[in-house]
Amino acid sequence: MSITRFDEPAAAEFRADVATWVRDALPKKWQTSRASLTPDEVQQAQREWDAALHTAGYAGLSWPSEYGGRGFGPIEELIYYEESSRANAPDGFGRIGRVLAGPTIIAAGTEAQKAKYLPRILDASEIWCQGFSEPGAGSDLASVTTTAKKVDGGYLVNGQKIWTSFAQYSKRCLMLVKTSSDLPRHHNLSFLLLDMEQEGVDVRPIRQINGEEEFSEVFFTDVFVADEDLVGEEHEGWRVAMTVLSNERGTTEAATRLVEATAQIDLLNRCCASNSRLDAARLDDRRELLRWHILRSTEEKAAELDWFQAGSILKVQWSELIQDSTRLGLDSGCSVHRDYWRHHYLASKAMSIYSGTNEIQRNIITDRVLRVAR
Ligand SMILES: Cc1cc2nc3c(=O)[nH]c(=O)nc-3n(C[C@H](O)[C@H](O)[C@H](O)COP(=O)(O)OP(=O)(O)OC[C@H]3O[C@@H](n4cnc5c(N)ncnc54)[C@H](O)[C@@H]3O)c2cc1C
């Protein structure tokens, strides 16, 4: 039986267990010298963390037990993400598999797909990436032009994806592709599980403003995907893609970011914004509002109520809170924490873009939450 409210004593007990485990399991080098680790050492730590999560049973917390998960609910999952972020634990390379690929295959995949892919997502022996965005199809995702042409036994994929996070480490990709040029929009796309380690897949990492190479552009030339790796009905991949996006904009991402915002606002209050406390206090109010919003949405999710629309509101709230906090940190001119604020301010610029831009989230809020006619 899962926890259904945050004020249950079981929630506090679970939180204490997670906090103790995270503290003991964190790779030592990550705890003591994260900033000076080489890219190879960072990779090593991410992989060690994936393995530790699997061994301790934290990899599939909310997955059903028949698929190797713990069968917990959204509250336990959220508590895990809060505590691991509080301890600055790595995400692990397996996060896209655990949070996006696994739940999507569980919801829409065949039993054969579940048996083939889920165990290797849980132990992170196969890393996944998300091949949705293209140079001409980001916000307007339904306009993807990467095609999958039907051939004997499967499909041949041709085209280009971009901003594909962790593509260079990935064995598998969640692909949204066009399978018909005649059928109407939203009914002309299919959802495929593509093997990245085959002829015709060309991954070219992109260097970011902070020097890291988190994402890549990926080119596909006659890449084969077998019929068994189609998820859902042919041409009805849009619906499957929506499952992915709802998980991406969910409460666990918001909880992770809330912890990040809390650390920044605490630092502003304690040190950097000592000359402009009023602004930092306003951020603190927004942080508290975000916290209540996350708690309420998660309890609604645990009670199987309709929480989905909250995703767009949460995404706008946390991304803009972190952007405003880091900007205030930079503007404070604090000499002790200048490098910290510079790094986090630059990193925050991406937050209003990925998982669907904030402009698009505002459109969704207008149309589907407020139902304002435009
Ligand atoms: C760090 C990072 C990681 C990412 N990882 C992945 C990944 O792993 N896989 C993946 O598939 N994608 C990934 N993305 C891509 C991301 O989903 C897209 O960048 C995003 O959806 C926006 O698409 P675009 O970049 O093509 O911008 P565009 O869609 O071209 O938008 C440009 C600007 O126009 C605005 N705009 C567009 N349409 C409207 C409208 N109708 N109303 C109002 N404003 C509008 C947008 O808000 C934006 O400001 C990642 C992006 C980032 C920054």
Side-chain angles (χ1 to χ4, degrees):
M1 174 77 179
S2 296
I3 300 168
T4 55
R5 290 184 55 88
F6 281 96
D7 55 9
E8 284 179 35
E13 267 173 48
F14 185 77
R15 186 179 293 283
D17 288 349
V18 174
T20 306
W21 179 79
V22 171
R23 197 193 50 225
D24 295 346
L26 262 184
K28 283 288 160 288
K29 273 188 174 172
W30 191 271
Q31 286 184 44
T32 53
S33 43
R34 165 72 184 89
S36 57
L37 295 185
T38 64
D40 283 350
E41 287 171 327
V42 170
Q43 270 194 47
Q44 177 66 19
Q46 298 276 17
R47 291 187 191 281
E48 282 174 18
W49 190 245
D50 284 328
L53 287 177
H54 176 241
T55 308
Y58 284 108
L61 270 183
S62 61
W63 291 22
S65 48
E66 71 255 46
Y67 301 125
R70 295 276 289 275
F72 285 140
I75 292 191
E76 289 91 336
E77 190 176 46
L78 188 117
I79 289 172
Y80 166 77
Y81 279 102
E82 275 184 327
E83 292 309 315
S84 62
S85 331
R86 215 186 305 282
N88 277 324
D91 282 341
F93 282 147
R95 182 157 169 161
I96 291 183
R98 288 188 288 271
V99 178
L100 302 186
T104 303
I105 293 171
I106 290 170
T110 62
E111 287 309 313
Q113 286 165 351
K114 291 173 192 172
K116 179 174 174 189
Y117 294 119
L118 296 179
R120 294 182 214 163
I121 292 175
L122 279 181
D123 70 9
S125 54
E126 291 186 349
I127 303 303
W128 287 70
C129 59
Q130 179 192 6
F132 283 17
S133 305
E134 297 182 3
S139 301
D140 185 13
L141 187 58
S143 295
V144 293
T145 58
T146 294
T147 55
K149 189 171 165 232
K150 193 76 194 79
V151 293
D152 195 20
Y155 299 85
L156 277 188
V157 176
N158 281 283
Q160 184 198 344
K161 296 291 176 181
I162 195 163
W163 316 128
T164 319
S165 301
F166 308 118
Q168 66 270 48
Y169 310 113
S170 293
K171 165 71 176 159
R172 310 259 170 211
C173 185
L174 300 168
M175 288 284 286
L176 188 64
V177 290
K178 188 167 179 174
T179 38
S180 167
S181 43
D182 303 324
L183 288 166
R185 198 172 148 82
H186 297 124
H187 300 283
N188 57 351
L189 307 174
S190 297
F191 197 96
L192 303 178
L193 308 176
L194 182 142
D195 183 345
M196 296 282 283
E197 290 175 3
Q198 58 173 314
E199 191 96 353
V201 180
D202 179 11
V203 178
R204 301 182 196 167
I206 298 172
R207 173 74 49 98
Q208 294 159 231
I209 197 169
N210 62 1
E212 291 173 7
E213 293 179 345
E214 192 214 293
F215 42 53
S216 300
E217 49 183 351
V218 188
F219 296 83
F220 301 89
T221 310
D222 286 341
V223 177
F224 183 73
V225 178
D227 284 332
E228 301 88 84
D229 287 327
L230 168 74
V231 182
E233 299 290 313
E234 188 180 37
H235 309 312
E236 294 298 337
W238 182 253
R239 217 178 295 159
V240 184
M242 290 306 103
T243 307
V244 177
L245 293 183
S246 74
N247 286 321
E248 198 175 2
R249 289 175 205 147
T251 49
T252 51
E253 175 73 11
T256 306
R257 299 306 176 187
L258 173 66
V259 172
E260 194 176 331
T262 300
Q264 288 166 355
I265 295 166
D266 285 351
L267 183 59
L268 285 170
N269 278 319
R270 215 174 47 241
C271 169
C272 314
S274 46
N275 294 326
S276 52
R277 282 203 181 276
L278 187 61
D279 284 331
R282 279 201 195 117
L283 291 175
D284 212 30
D285 290 344
R286 281 168 58 190
R287 183 194 64 79
E288 194 58 12
L289 192 63
L290 172 61
R291 190 171 80 86
W292 281 105
H293 205 158
I294 293 172
L295 297 184
R296 197 186 63 179
S297 305
T298 308
E299 287 187 346
E300 284 177 357
K301 197 170 163 188
E304 297 183 1
L305 297 173
D306 180 14
W307 68 277
F308 177 64
Q309 290 163 339
S312 296
I313 301 172
L314 292 174
K315 162 83 205 314
V316 171
Q317 277 185 306
W318 64 251
S319 56
E320 294 183 359
L321 179 59
I322 291 182
Q323 288 178 343
D324 290 347
S325 305
T326 52
R327 191 177 308 113
L328 191 60
L330 264 189
D331 289 348
S332 73
C334 174
S335 56
V336 185
H337 298 105
R338 192 170 43 218
D339 288 347
Y340 171 92
W341 290 120
R342 194 179 291 153
H343 172 83
H344 286 280
Y345 175 72
L346 290 177
S348 78
K349 301 306 279 178
M351 292 176 175
S352 47
I353 302 174
Y354 62 69
S355 312
T357 68
N358 283 17
E359 290 81 10
I360 295 300
Q361 302 315 310
R362 285 193 159 88
N363 287 350
I364 294 174
I365 294 165
T366 306
D367 294 343
R368 294 188 219 153
V369 181
L370 302 175
R371 296 180 193 277
V372 175
R374 286 200 282 155

